[in-house]
Amino acid sequence: MRKGLVIVNTGNGKGKTTAALGVLFRAWGRGMNVAVIQFIKHATGNWGEIKAAKKLQIDWQAMGDGFTWLSKDLDATAQKTRDAWALAQAKIASGQFDIVILDEMTYALKYGWIDVHEVIAWLNEHKPPQLHLIITGRDAPPELIAFADLVTEMREIKHPYTQGIKAQPGVEF
Amino acid sequence: MRKGLVIVNTGNGKGKTTAALGVLFRAWGRGMNVAVIQFIKHATGNWGEIKAAKKLQIDWQAMGDGFTWLSKDLDATAQKTRDAWALAQAKIASGQFDIVILDEMTYALKYGWIDVHEVIAWLNEHKPPQLHLIITGRDAPPELIAFADLVTEMREIKHPYTQGIKAQPGVEF
């Protein structure tokens, strides 16, 4: 039985986005079509994963402005996440993809920039039954967890930042 | 500062191997050399990740015999994991890799087929300082967690198997 799953990777630990990239790698190996939409990461970021996606011609859109707790213009950030969701809706409804990854979308839900109930209602109506959807980010709202088929919490047990070790290229970005 | 991290992905949830594959994808995007050694998965498995690794000519060795709780010849399984560790030592010490992934190695440690103290002593002496090492699997022993720089627990919050939905190609294998 082939069934499109709604997958949520949440929690305060590493591996939420990275596990979504692992699914992308695995699915690409099977010749499946994957689209990635990043809600927070900046369009000009030249991370390892973006380099890889370019080399493999994977559909990848970074729509964010690099929002952090230092951001000043939250209205602009909020609008960018709404634009990302509009693009996600187009990709999901297009029927062209086997897997769509909505990276760091939970932040937009958490801050109310996108309404979680509207997202779920839209997905119920428009998500193709066989499409797998992966949503990542901390603090996934309970409504999303209730809606999802597969939810994993990535929990931080030990982190090198606390030992003064900086993020390492290739591993973390 | 570039420092080779020892990374452990453990816990009962999804995403331990998958997050390691995501690091592989990211590192491949940066042109880094990655080796994967699978301690449990069967050499003849033709999973999506193996198809992807072949296409990208990534160094990938599945050394296991598909061990499960139904396995009958545990001596043979144990020997296969020791062979995998011998190969891992050769790859790690070769200096040819930026990242080495030891997939599902924790099971061999848990069952005592490979001694965790010997592994740590060997790594302390032979792991190149800049090499990143990723070890995955449930029940990572406390000694390994103490030794690692970055440890994440993947916790199962919700799983589709419990709803009678089977594992999906591209997503889970």
Side-chain angles (χ1 to χ4, degrees):
Chain A
M1 180 185 55
R2 175 83 193 280
K3 178 190 182 330
L5 301 177
V6 176
I7 298 169
V8 174
N9 295 344
T10 191
N12 71 342
K14 305 296 296 182
K16 299 182 289 291
T17 295
T18 317
L21 297 179
V23 171
L24 183 159
F25 177 77
R26 178 175 277 158
W28 179 82
R30 290 188 180 272
M32 296 165 80
N33 288 323
V34 184
V36 180
I37 297 164
Q38 297 195 291
F39 281 64
I40 302 295
K41 288 227 175 62
H42 201 286
T44 60
N46 199 12
W47 319 115
E49 53 268 39
I50 291 184
K51 290 174 189 278
K54 273 187 192 152
K55 287 197 223 179
L56 303 182
Q57 298 184 289
I58 289 167
D59 189 305
W60 188 295
Q61 307 281 340
M63 301 286 286
D65 63 359
F67 160 70
T68 70
W69 52 276
L70 293 170
S71 295
K72 283 170 185 165
D73 188 353
L74 286 184
D75 288 345
T77 299
Q79 186 55 49
K80 279 180 191 293
T81 66
R82 285 191 287 265
D83 293 346
W85 172 235
L87 179 65
Q89 290 173 296
K91 300 276 183 197
I92 291 166
S94 74
Q96 290 173 25
F97 296 99
D98 301 294
I99 299 179
V100 173
I101 297 173
L102 307 180
D103 186 48
E104 298 190 315
M105 186 190 186
T106 59
Y107 302 101
L109 301 173
K110 176 184 179 180
Y111 290 105
W113 301 332
I114 302 170
D115 185 272
V116 67
H117 301 99
E118 286 176 23
V119 167
I120 291 169
W122 188 88
L123 289 173
N124 270 327
E125 194 161 345
H126 298 283
K127 187 181 88 59
Q130 302 215 330
L131 175 89
H132 301 295
L133 188 68
I134 306 179
I135 299 174
T136 78
R138 292 185 183 213
D139 302 318
E143 296 90 338
L144 182 65
I145 290 174
F147 176 67
D149 300 295
L150 172 57
V151 181
T152 307
E153 178 193 357
M154 279 68 174
R155 277 187 67 209
E156 181 181 311
I157 303 294
K158 194 171 181 183
H159 199 294
Y161 295 170
T162 59
Q163 303 158 54
I165 300 168
K166 290 196 178 165
Q168 301 294 315
V171 175
E172 298 184 69
F173 59 91
Chain B
M1 181 186 56
R2 174 81 194 279
K3 178 190 181 329
L5 301 177
V6 176
I7 298 170
V8 174
N9 295 344
T10 192
N12 71 343
K14 303 298 293 181
K16 299 181 289 293
T17 295
T18 317
L21 297 179
V23 170
L24 183 159
F25 178 79
R26 178 177 277 158
W28 179 84
R30 290 190 181 271
M32 296 165 82
N33 288 324
V34 184
V36 180
I37 297 165
Q38 298 195 290
F39 280 64
I40 302 295
K41 287 224 175 67
H42 201 285
T44 59
N46 199 11
W47 318 117
E49 53 269 40
I50 290 184
K51 290 173 189 278
K54 273 187 191 152
K55 286 197 223 180
L56 303 182
Q57 297 184 291
I58 289 166
D59 189 308
W60 187 296
Q61 306 282 339
M63 301 286 286
D65 63 357
F67 161 71
T68 70
W69 52 275
L70 292 171
S71 295
K72 284 171 187 165
D73 188 352
L74 286 184
D75 289 344
T77 300
Q79 187 55 49
K80 280 181 191 291
T81 65
R82 286 191 288 267
D83 294 346
W85 171 234
L87 180 66
Q89 290 173 297
K91 299 276 182 196
I92 291 166
S94 74
Q96 290 174 25
F97 296 99
D98 301 294
I99 300 180
V100 173
I101 296 172
L102 306 180
D103 185 48
E104 299 190 315
M105 185 190 187
T106 59
Y107 301 101
L109 302 173
K110 176 184 179 183
Y111 290 105
W113 301 332
I114 302 170
D115 185 274
V116 66
H117 301 100
E118 286 177 23
V119 167
I120 291 169
W122 188 89
L123 289 173
N124 270 326
E125 195 162 343
H126 298 284
K127 188 181 87 62
Q130 302 215 329
L131 175 88
H132 302 296
L133 189 68
I134 306 180
I135 299 173
T136 78
R138 292 185 183 213
D139 303 318
E143 297 90 339
L144 182 66
I145 289 173
F147 177 67
D149 299 295
L150 171 57
V151 181
T152 307
E153 179 194 357
M154 278 67 175
R155 276 187 70 210
E156 180 181 312
I157 303 295
K158 194 172 181 182
H159 199 293
Y161 294 171
T162 59
Q163 303 158 52
I165 300 167
K166 290 197 177 163
Q168 300 292 316
V171 173
E172 298 184 68
F173 60 92

